[in-house]
Amino acid sequence: MKNIIKYMAFAVVMAIVFNGCKKNDYIVGGKLESTTTTLTTYDYLKNNRFKMFDTLLMLVDKAGLKDVINQKGITFYAPSDYSINNYLALRTLEVQNVDPSKKYTVDTLIKYDLATFKDSLNAYIVPSTVTYSSLTENGVLFKTALGNQTVISYETTTDPTLGYSGAISTLPRIEYYTFIKGGPLPSPLVASQIADTVGVRVLCQTSGLTTATGQLNVLQNGHILYFKQ
């Protein structure tokens, strides 16, 4: 019963965080008005007016990964600070199953799991240029810098919360990043039909930005770091 209450509390907190984050999903599933910047990927994130990547970049600095996300020709699917906070909340619940007085914080991550962060950040990097023209509705299979597979799709939507309106003549399109954990993919490949046990499907709240060093997309705030479920 104690664990059930904890996980119910976590679900409520995550729902509040997710709904609250929507206010800051500055381009949910859409394109930026200006699709290019003279800033590097790192500097663009650092200069974000909502300060949504301060924790991410602190961890990037601690792990010595600045040059990694600034590599020429890569595509970075950046998790926001909300994604990191979601992960910290989930890990706190896990450690409190052993010791209710414990908390898993950013300091804990830096002290014990920085090497994990350093390796796992590569799951968010595709070592090639991913543009809208290189994608399809059903998705294209790519390799991440971590060595895992990911399916990236550019899909039409009729969801009003993602930009659809009956007043428009062309359906809006949104980009999804589906990290493949393992298991058989549907054949033929259809990104939206990949089972939850096989892949973690995440909407890109911002996509299609060309920086001075590569391509940048931002994953939805409800995402949990490391694609942890």
Side-chain angles (χ1 to χ4, degrees), residues 56-70:
L56 171 67
L57 295 182
M58 179 184 69
L59 293 173
V60 165
D61 289 339
K62 291 284 187 181
L65 295 172
K66 180 177 179 179
D67 290 341
V68 172
I69 66 172
N70 272 344

Side-chain angles (χ1 to χ4, degrees), residues 8 17 27 79 89 119 121 150 152 181 198:
M8 286 179 66
V17 169
I27 305 286
D119 288 340
L121 190 75
T150 184
I152 307 173
K181 298 182 293 184
V198 174

Side-chain angles (χ1 to χ4, degrees), residues 30 49 56 89 112 125 127 131 141 166 170 178 193 196 201 207:
R49 62 192 175 105
L56 171 67
Y112 297 107
I125 295 172
T131 61
L141 198 61
T170 303
T178 305
Q193 294 179 7
D196 293 341
R201 177 175 165 90
S207 61

Side-chain angles (χ1 to χ4, degrees), residues 171-219:
L171 290 177
R173 297 173 73 91
I174 51 179
E175 188 169 339
Y176 283 94
Y177 189 81
T178 305
F179 179 77
I180 304 303
K181 298 182 293 184
L185 294 172
S187 181
L189 180 64
V190 180
S192 61
Q193 294 179 7
I194 295 173
D196 293 341
T197 54
V198 174
V200 183
R201 177 175 165 90
V202 188
L203 181 147
C204 294
Q205 68 182 25
T206 304
S207 61
L209 177 69
T210 301
T211 71
T213 49
Q215 295 292 119
L216 175 63
N217 307 278
V218 178
L219 300 181

Side-chain angles (χ1 to χ4, degrees), residues 17-211:
V17 169
F18 180 74
N19 288 329
C21 287
K22 286 186 177 179
K23 297 176 183 176
N24 291 316
D25 284 358
Y26 41 102
I27 305 286
V28 179
K31 302 179 184 179
L32 295 165
E33 289 183 10
S34 177
T35 58
T36 61
T37 175
T38 57
L39 298 175
T40 65
T41 295
Y42 180 96
D43 287 340
Y44 185 85
L45 294 173
K46 185 176 181 178
N47 284 278
N48 176 260
R49 62 192 175 105
F50 296 114
K51 304 297 181 185
M52 291 176 62
F53 307 100
D54 289 359
T55 305
L56 171 67
L57 295 182
M58 179 184 69
L59 293 173
V60 165
D61 289 339
K62 291 284 187 181
L65 295 172
K66 180 177 179 179
D67 290 341
V68 172
I69 66 172
N70 272 344
Q71 290 178 80
K72 285 283 188 181
I74 71 157
T75 304
F76 184 36
Y77 286 81
S80 72
D81 288 353
Y82 290 99
S83 296
I84 296 172
N85 288 335
N86 295 340
Y87 174 73
L88 298 179
L90 185 60
R91 286 301 309 272
T92 292
L93 281 178
E94 292 174 352
V95 299
Q96 285 181 349
N97 282 327
V98 179
D99 184 343
S101 67
K102 295 289 188 181
K103 286 191 69 176
Y104 190 96
T105 66
V106 171
D107 290 338
T108 311
L109 192 158
I110 291 171
K111 185 175 181 179
Y112 297 107
D113 295 327
L114 194 59
T116 299
F117 175 83
K118 187 172 184 177
D119 288 340
S120 296
L121 190 75
N122 286 312
Y124 295 89
I125 295 172
V126 175
S128 59
T129 301
V130 181
T131 61
Y132 295 132
S133 61
S134 65
L135 301 177
T136 67
E137 178 85 21
N138 291 334
V140 177
L141 198 61
F142 291 89
K143 272 275 184 87
T144 72
L146 185 64
N148 293 71
Q149 292 181 316
T150 184
V151 174
I152 307 173
S153 51
Y154 191 41
E155 305 175 22
T156 55
T157 180
T158 55
D159 187 339
T161 67
L162 297 177
Y164 173 76
S165 166
I168 59 177
S169 58
T170 303
L171 290 177
R173 297 173 73 91
I174 51 179
E175 188 169 339
Y176 283 94
Y177 189 81
T178 305
F179 179 77
I180 304 303
K181 298 182 293 184
L185 294 172
S187 181
L189 180 64
V190 180
S192 61
Q193 294 179 7
I194 295 173
D196 293 341
T197 54
V198 174
V200 183
R201 177 175 165 90
V202 188
L203 181 147
C204 294
Q205 68 182 25
T206 304
S207 61
L209 177 69
T210 301
T211 71

